[in-house]
Amino acid sequence: MGKAVREQLSRVLNDHLNTIHETLQILDKTPPSSLDKVSWKEVIQMGEQISKQATNAGMLYTGENPGVKALEENMAAYFNMLQGFLLLSHGSSTGAGPTLSSCIHKAVKQVVDSSFMLLHEAVSSYGSPSNKTQKLSIPQLAGAVWEACSALKKTPSTNVIAIGKAISQVAVSMKDVLREMNELKPASNEGEEEEEEEPSENFSTKPEDKPCDKDDDLCDGDLGSDLSPEEMKIVELTTDIVSRTLVVHKELIRCITLLLQRENSDDISVDSLEKILKVSQRIGVQVDEVGACLYPPQEISAIKVAIEKISSLSSEVETELRNLKGCTEDFGEACSRLRSSLGKLGSELGCDLVPELENLVITD
């Protein structure tokens, strides 16, 4: 009897899943501009209803011998909410650029996937020999639905917010690179080492002869701790550039935040915002590259290429931001300091950055 009912519920579940999959395909298409934009608050509110429905489903399936009709009605109500949730989400993506669309799609998919897992486990546990064990997992799966619905509140609701968050992620990555660069150290003076510790006859002070920890076969502690004075000078100049680049990005985030305060913020060019993000991400790639090149033996040619690209890309960001009339005085000063730092390292490496630096000087 239990097996027959379980198979019946599985068929009903599969029918609902097929309908939802068809609706999901709509999300992959850009909504027409003529479609009225749905407020993200409506999506959040629907998410709260789904969260409550997940609670009801969890309580129903973990109860004692729930009726088949009650289970089917609960399933139908749940999927009707998911259907409405998907349609609202699609409407909220009207006018969304690639970055915002990606954020919306990711958040929506999390709600749908967690709901699928909950209902699939609930149906498969009905009347099965391992019913008691499976029932224990249902509250956890319902909790996953709650978390996915709660995450909707943190999902960006506008292009400006979505792109601002994405640029913040670039800045976080730069901060990590900067921290690693600050850990680079010059080679220790051999005389000082002997004063600090007198090695035994069989003890070698050479990094390659030191035993590695069992959990650290690469001996990372010695990596980047034996730079020559010349290499350390390059490190110091490059660290200054990365630090200045990080400040530029922090000011860039502030500029984008200020764009939200405009009365006509909805009219801001999405293409320009997306271009700023892409260029920012490309700068982040070059920062990663230059950070990796500082370990001995330093790759000077690669460092030259990286700072040339940082110079050129920074120019693009400033130009695009000025086109949006969103460039603040602090951002301009941050760019100026970055130009100065780039010029210093360029002179040290014999790298001509003057044309790029001139491109950064743009009048309002």
Side-chain angles (χ1 to χ4, degrees), residues 38 44 59 104 109 134 147 163 237 297 350 357:
V38 175
I44 293 175
M59 294 174 62
I104 292 174
K109 190 174 186 299
Q134 287 181 295
E147 291 177 2
I163 288 173
L237 292 172
L357 300 181

Side-chain angles (χ1 to χ4, degrees), residues 22 127 170 253 284 286 344:
E22 291 176 1
V170 176
I253 293 169
Q286 296 307 314
K344 290 177 182 177

